[in-house]
Amino acid sequence: MQDSFGREINYLRLSITDRCNLRCRYCMPDDGVPPTAHDDLLRYEELLRVAAAAVSLGIDRFKVTGGEPLVRHGCTNFIHTLKAMPGVRQVTLTTNGLLLPPLLDELCAAGLDGINISLDTLDNAQYQQLTRRAHTADEVLHTVHLCAALLPTKVNAVLLPETTDQLIPLAELAQILPVDVRFIERMPLGAAQTGQATTAATALDRLRVHWPQLKPVNERRGNGPARYFHAPGMQGHIGLIDAVSHGFCDRCNRLRLTSTGLLKPCLCYEQGVELKPLLRGGADDTMLRGAIRTAILQKPAAHCFAQQENITEHKSMNQIGG
């Protein structure tokens, strides 16, 4: 289905929980956020009903997110059922990777099409400082190696001033492994609303010093807006997601469903369509499709990250869906 600006909306990010086993500094405030009561989360059957209604409107690609989605019991079964749904073309997962190794075989058997693993630094001490937990970057790196041998894998690193020296070490993962390493400008939301930001352009300049032959690739390597680059000898690619400094809103193809049932047309604004009252109030499928259609038609022309005074979304990323 097209929105009111003619963009084809075919991608839905489904957050299944706001809980996480990490406390990343740019995602949550120092004291964390109160977890949502279990009854307030959408049940798996409700999420699947939303997905089926979305498919009927032309949305056929889904990203399962959190929080950390793997902390929710039954996530692999949910992915299996979602991928088997008629009309679903692709299901991928975003995770911090810590809980992934024992579930990899199950997820591959479920038909998962790809995994995005969050890893902002390869320095163990810095990883613990950023995540406020005792886990190490080495644990996540081990998971990256496991995933790279089994299915399409992307490593997502948020561009932070304190991890500038990690840019090249992280990018070198694309040299030694068949993975795409993507550097993401920090979204000015929640705990990340203040503080200095690093732009994708600055990152690209530094990457080209190390790889003078780094060239853009005219290839779409997923459902998102990343610009990809490649240099001779690389097994994977380097991606840049510059949502803040260079908006790509004219090509935006997505909606986001929070774990509590708010269908958001744009990350920047708090506005959305509440689906939980419909799901639990006896609404039929026609009404549910109508609500999703409304959200698509409410999608704004562009975000407002460059004008922070206009941002109306103040929840943390774990509450919205990463």
Side-chain angles (χ1 to χ4, degrees), residues 127-138:
Y127 183 85
Q128 292 172 344
Q129 188 269 336
L130 286 173
T131 63
R132 303 189 186 101
R133 289 296 183 265
H135 296 288
T136 65
D138 286 345

Side-chain angles (χ1 to χ4, degrees), residues 12 14 43-62 64 76-91 110-113 285 288 292:
L12 176 59
L14 294 170
R43 298 185 286 270
Y44 281 135
E45 57 267 28
E46 293 170 332
L47 289 162
L48 291 167
R49 192 174 168 209
V50 172
V55 167
S56 73
L57 294 172
I59 294 172
D60 58 5
R61 307 166 196 200
F62 296 87
V64 179
T76 55
N77 289 334
F78 169 69
I79 287 172
H80 181 275
T81 306
L82 178 61
K83 183 60 193 296
M85 181 180 293
V88 171
R89 175 179 174 183
Q90 184 185 85
V91 178
L112 188 69
D113 293 292
D285 290 345
L288 186 57
I292 297 173

Side-chain angles (χ1 to χ4, degrees), residues 277-295:
L278 296 174
L279 292 164
R280 298 184 182 179
D284 62 17
D285 290 345
T286 299
M287 295 174 67
L288 186 57
R289 282 195 299 271
I292 297 173
R293 185 179 289 108
T294 295

Side-chain angles (χ1 to χ4, degrees), residues 179-201:
V179 302
D180 291 348
V181 179
R182 300 159 1 134
F183 296 100
I184 305 171
E185 290 182 341
R186 186 184 63 183
M187 303 291 184
L189 296 171
Q193 278 191 313
T194 59
Q196 189 178 12
T198 302
T199 66

Side-chain angles (χ1 to χ4, degrees), residues 163-176:
T163 59
T164 298
D165 64 344
Q166 293 296 301
L167 185 70
I168 302 304
L170 284 164
E172 284 179 336
L173 293 177
Q175 185 90 28
I176 63 173

Side-chain angles (χ1 to χ4, degrees), residues 71-233:
V71 303
R72 182 165 178 179
H73 181 71
C75 178
T76 55
N77 289 334
F78 169 69
I79 287 172
H80 181 275
T81 306
L82 178 61
K83 183 60 193 296
M85 181 180 293
V88 171
R89 175 179 174 183
Q90 184 185 85
V91 178
T92 55
L93 173 74
T94 290
T95 172
N96 60 40
L98 293 167
L99 301 174
L100 191 52
L103 300 173
L104 260 177
D105 288 343
E106 278 184 66
L107 288 166
C108 289
L112 188 69
D113 293 292
I115 289 184
N116 292 7
I117 299 174
S118 299
L119 180 61
D120 301 321
T121 177
L122 296 179
D123 181 274
N124 286 325
Q126 187 176 57
Y127 183 85
Q128 292 172 344
Q129 188 269 336
L130 286 173
T131 63
R132 303 189 186 101
R133 289 296 183 265
H135 296 288
T136 65
D138 286 345
E139 294 175 64
V140 184
L141 187 58
H142 172 68
T143 300
V144 172
H145 280 265
L146 292 176
C147 289
L150 294 173
L151 74 172
T153 301
K154 296 182 174 70
V155 174
N156 288 346
V158 177
L159 289 167
L160 303 168
E162 59 266 44
T163 59
T164 298
D165 64 344
Q166 293 296 301
L167 185 70
I168 302 304
L170 284 164
E172 284 179 336
L173 293 177
Q175 185 90 28
I176 63 173
L177 293 171
V179 302
D180 291 348
V181 179
R182 300 159 1 134
F183 296 100
I184 305 171
E185 290 182 341
R186 186 184 63 183
M187 303 291 184
L189 296 171
Q193 278 191 313
T194 59
Q196 189 178 12
T198 302
T199 66
T202 299
L204 182 58
D205 288 343
R206 290 174 180 148
L207 290 165
R208 281 181 163 153
V209 170
H210 192 80
W211 285 283
Q213 293 179 283
L214 194 66
K215 301 294 184 184
V217 175
N218 187 22
E219 178 184 350
R220 192 172 180 90
R221 299 183 58 81
N223 298 315
R227 295 183 293 129
Y228 285 97
F229 299 81
H230 187 265

